[in-house]
């Protein structure tokens, strides 16, 4: 019986360590402006008779990173990374397989304005209304004093979306694993 208790403690510690390691990395958080862009995009898709897109953690990470990259480099407003990496190479580092697409914008102050701008551009509109796309990531960065002020990225993918976890679920997972470890340690022994 002692062996079983030790195994349970070791197992729960191993899981707790994995959960902690997974949550130690920067969390992907969907901001209000990013959520609003998805609402507006899905309204446009619905009007066109298309299915709604869902946030995808891989695409979200790619979009946020690219918006941050553009905001950090004053003269960089391009699909390619500011270090010269081709946009496809950058995207594939987050989203290795499946079809991809990207829209970028800068200087728009609201989600409504940026989506209107994209819908008024044939190439951007084609990405938004591409029926093959299932997932999306939306990156928005405000950098006061920068050339454009706001930087927007939409990354699209054709694979089933991997949902972005809610930060509250991380806390619940860690609490549950910690409780399991505590119960295993303090369990009465015969």
């Amino acid at each position: 019986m002692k062996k079983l208790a030790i195994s349970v403690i070791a197992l729960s510690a191993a899981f707790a360590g994995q959960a902690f390691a997974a949550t130690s990395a920067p969390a992907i958080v969907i901001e209000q402006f990013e959520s609003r862009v998805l609402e507006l995009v899905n309204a446009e898709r619905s009007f066109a008779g298309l299915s709604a897109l869902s946030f995808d953690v891989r695409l979200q990470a790619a979009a946020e990173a690219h918006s941050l990259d553009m905001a950090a480099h004053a003269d960089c407003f391009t699909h390619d990374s500011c270090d010269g990496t081709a946009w496809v190479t950058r995207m594939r580092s987050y989203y290795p397989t499946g079809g991809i697409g990207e829209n970028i914008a800068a200087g728009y102050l609201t989600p409504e304005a940026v989506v209107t701008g994209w819908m008024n551009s044939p190439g951007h509109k084609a990405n938004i209304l591409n029926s093959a796309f299932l997932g999306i990531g939306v990156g928005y960065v405000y950098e006061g004093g920068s050339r454009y002020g706001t930087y927007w990225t939409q990354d699209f993918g054709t694979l089933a979306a991997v949902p972005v976890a809610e930060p509250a679920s991380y806390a619940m997972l860690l609490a549950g694993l910690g409780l399991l470890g505590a119960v295993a340690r303090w369990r009465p022994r015969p």
Side-chain angles (χ1 to χ4, degrees):
M1 199 59 134
K2 268 189 178 178
K3 208 177 221 187
L4 178 61
I6 291 170
S7 296
V8 170
I9 292 169
L11 187 59
S12 69
F15 283 134
Q18 285 179 342
F20 182 73
T23 59
S24 304
I28 300 295
V29 178
I30 308 296
E31 301 293 340
Q32 183 178 359
F33 269 19
E34 295 165 344
S35 290
R36 181 67 180 142
V37 166
L38 179 59
E39 290 173 19
L40 295 167
V41 163
N42 281 337
E44 294 290 347
R45 289 176 64 87
S46 176
F47 184 72
L50 300 170
S51 63
L53 298 176
S54 298
F55 276 121
D56 180 288
V57 69
R58 301 160 296 186
L59 296 169
Q60 187 64 25
E64 286 182 5
H66 191 54
S67 289
L68 283 167
D69 188 32
M70 290 188 295
H73 297 89
D75 293 322
C76 177
F77 178 67
T78 177
H79 287 279
D80 291 340
S81 295
C82 299
D83 68 2
T85 303
W87 81 273
V88 172
T89 303
R90 173 180 47 81
M91 281 288 297
R92 289 293 180 214
S93 72
Y94 293 94
Y95 198 82
T97 62
I100 54 174
E102 181 172 79
N103 290 341
I104 61 172
Y108 291 93
L109 299 179
T110 66
E112 290 78 10
V114 74
V115 172
T116 297
W118 282 326
M119 290 304 291
N120 287 331
S121 164
H124 295 105
K125 181 178 182 176
N127 276 339
I128 290 171
L129 299 181
N130 185 329
S131 63
F133 290 142
L134 302 174
I136 189 172
V138 179
Y140 164 76
V141 173
Y142 172 77
E143 183 62 44
S146 67
R147 182 173 183 180
Y148 297 104
T150 60
Y151 299 85
W152 304 83
T153 304
Q154 285 182 317
D155 284 326
F156 302 92
T158 59
L159 303 177
V162 174
V164 176
E166 294 293 324
S169 66
Y170 295 145
M172 292 303 294
L173 174 64
L174 287 175
L177 289 172
L179 183 59
L180 176 63
V183 168
R185 278 191 305 269
W186 297 107
R187 199 173 109 215
R189 301 216 162 76

